[in-house]
Amino acid sequence: MSCVDLGANQPLARPDLVYRAAIRADLGPAEEFETSHGLKRAVFPIVGGVLKGDGLEGQIISGGADWAVGLPDGSYAIEARYLIRLSDGTVISILNAGLMAEQSDGAFLGRTRASFEVPAGPHDWLGKSVFFGTAIAQAGDDDHVYIELWEAVI
């Protein structure tokens, strides 16, 4: 089945993914509670970290958080928002949302969509691109989440 089967004039190509950066988000102690709607809410403060990639380098600014909702199957729907100060002093915002699923070893593996808010200038391409993320919270390490960002080239 393709979009042509549904009436499109041409098939769509499989997207090319280009590796752009790795992130280590440093976490503070989580606050977890049951909501009045019967959901488990977990809020992980983001207290620092680093971004490193080809032409991108920066430090995560303390003050962001990952707002996660525990789902019945044990996975978490996540929405992390935080700021990064790039090596040239530019401050950018990232929103990383997706799903983290527990693995047999106790780690949580995730897939996300990342979007950036950036000022006009040399980094504005970040705000015009679509990013796919892979993430892991390793078993026994409550202090870090690791993310790799891939740009879906249009």
Side-chain angles (χ1 to χ4, degrees):
M1 176 63 65
S2 75
C3 65
V4 172
D5 298 319
L6 301 175
N9 292 332
Q10 64 185 23
L12 297 175
R14 181 179 178 162
D16 290 327
L17 296 177
V18 177
Y19 176 79
R20 292 298 183 197
I23 296 172
R24 186 198 71 228
D26 301 339
L27 307 176
E31 295 291 339
E32 298 184 61
F33 58 93
E34 295 287 328
T35 72
S36 60
H37 299 291
L39 299 173
K40 179 180 178 182
R41 172 65 75 178
V43 181
F44 300 88
I46 299 172
V47 299
V50 295
L51 164 85
K52 289 190 177 185
D54 187 20
L56 285 175
E57 190 166 323
Q59 298 289 319
I60 295 175
I61 300 170
S62 182
D66 182 350
W67 291 74
V69 174
L71 302 175
D73 66 357
S75 64
Y76 284 86
I78 62 165
E79 186 173 291
R81 184 181 295 270
Y82 48 99
L83 300 175
I84 301 170
R85 185 179 316 279
L86 298 177
S87 57
D88 67 0
T90 303
V91 175
I92 62 175
S93 171
I94 183 172
L95 171 63
N96 217 349
L99 186 71
M100 299 287 283
E102 189 169 13
Q103 304 300 295
S104 61
D105 66 355
F108 280 83
L109 189 62
R111 299 292 183 260
T112 68
R113 180 190 182 279
S115 58
F116 290 91
E117 292 179 352
V118 298
H123 308 293
D124 62 357
W125 68 274
L126 291 166
K128 297 175 181 175
S129 299
V130 175
F131 294 92
F132 170 74
T134 57
I136 189 166
Q138 299 177 122
D141 182 0
D142 294 337
D143 299 328
H144 306 97
V145 171
Y146 300 91
I147 304 157
E148 292 186 340
L149 295 178
W150 300 80
E151 180 184 6
V153 180
I154 297 175

